[in-house]
Amino acid sequence: MKFDFSNKVALVTGGTSGIGRTTALAFAQAGAKVVISGRRETEGKAVVAEIAAAGGTARFVRADVAVEADVKNLVEQTVAAFGRLDIAFNNAGVEWMAPLANATEADYRRLFDTNVWGVIASLKYEIPAMLKTGGGAIVNTSSVAGHVGMAGASLYIGTKHAVEGLSKSIALEFANQGIRINAVAPAVIDTAMVDRFAGKDGPQREHLASLHPIGRTGKTDEVANAVLFLCSDAASFILGESLKVDGGLTVP
């Protein structure tokens, strides 16, 4: 499906790499003006340069979604630059894979501050900005980890279950005000995040691929396509859903 986001402004958190980067590029290719945020300025500006080189419009705003003041500034800078906010992809997140006995309070706060509070703070400022111009579409990055249990990843699993609940509840809160909120739930996607705990190849990576009935891990553009669909008019009657992009991993 070819998407058209001409005259739309899209905000992507965690847009400096992986799924966020690919989705930011896809929004720009579809005609949107894109604001990319993240903590890594060099990488963020590189994405902006890539969009500009292809004839698109983008800017980078450094923000840590765990810090409410950063998120407030991010949305304000977006509206100041482009006059409105139509689309938000709340994608910023961090991972944690370890036995429960290894969990510390610092681990808990790092994960929940970014993966959960980061989504809450983003919604808190994005929604009022969208309401000023008649509404918009928001997608939060969840995970198959928000749909299942998984030994050895309890804190991360907890954050993604929280994102699922938040997405449903806040979608209902604003359902009749022109705001559509959904989530996207990827399985294992070929990103640097996965490389960090599974390596780029070898037995562990092969094992991860084997978990997916489709026979492979996913690609970032496959998730980006799902996000663009959920933000498009083609999904105008869809809200409060979690679209699993998982190669069949969670099929009962």
Side-chain angles (χ1 to χ4, degrees):
M1 179 180 293
K2 183 175 176 60
F3 300 103
D4 184 3
F5 292 102
S6 301
N7 303 316
K8 301 290 187 182
V9 176
L11 168 61
V12 178
T13 70
T16 59
S17 64
I19 292 169
R21 175 185 176 277
T22 299
T23 305
L25 293 169
F27 273 126
Q29 187 175 25
K33 298 178 177 67
V34 183
V35 175
I36 297 149
S37 83
R39 293 176 296 182
R40 296 176 296 175
E41 189 166 352
T42 300
E43 290 85 344
K45 288 184 175 179
V47 181
V48 169
E50 188 171 351
I51 289 172
T57 302
R59 66 174 297 170
F60 174 76
V61 178
R62 189 190 180 285
D64 181 347
V65 296
V67 179
E68 183 174 355
D70 280 14
V71 178
K72 181 175 185 289
N73 178 67
L74 170 61
V75 175
E76 288 175 348
Q77 289 292 323
T78 299
V79 174
F82 298 121
R84 59 188 297 128
L85 176 62
D86 303 289
I87 295 163
F89 180 35
N90 297 323
N91 173 68
V94 293
E95 80 278 10
W96 184 85
M97 302 292 169
L100 178 62
N102 293 355
T104 65
E105 182 178 351
D107 291 327
Y108 168 83
R109 296 198 179 281
R110 181 179 71 90
L111 262 76
F112 277 80
D113 284 356
T114 300
N115 294 3
V116 182
W117 173 249
V119 172
I120 294 171
S122 296
L123 293 167
K124 177 179 176 180
Y125 292 101
E126 291 161 355
I127 290 171
M130 291 179 176
L131 290 173
K132 289 179 181 178
T133 51
I138 299 172
V139 174
N140 300 320
T141 294
S142 177
S143 167
V144 293
H147 293 263
V148 299
M150 187 183 301
S154 54
L155 294 186
Y156 181 73
I157 295 282
T159 66
K160 293 307 182 178
H161 274 71
V163 170
E164 291 285 328
L166 285 167
S167 299
K168 291 178 173 64
S169 298
I170 300 175
L172 294 176
E173 190 171 336
F174 292 94
N176 65 353
Q177 297 181 57
I179 304 287
R180 289 191 305 105
I181 300 171
N182 292 288
V184 65
V188 181
I189 307 298
D190 294 330
T191 64
M193 179 183 287
V194 173
D195 291 344
R196 283 195 290 272
F197 68 83
K200 293 187 177 181
D201 51 38
Q204 191 169 358
R205 198 59 178 260
E206 291 172 6
H207 171 68
L208 289 177
S210 73
L211 297 176
H212 304 72
I214 202 170
R216 62 175 176 83
T217 52
K219 304 179 188 307
T220 56
D221 63 303
E222 292 173 316
V223 183
N225 287 337
V227 175
L228 266 65
F229 165 69
L230 289 172
C231 293
S232 75
D233 291 341
S236 58
F237 203 55
I238 299 174
L239 60 88
E241 288 295 326
S242 179
L243 178 54
K244 290 180 281 188
V245 186
D246 70 355
L249 179 62
T250 59
V251 174

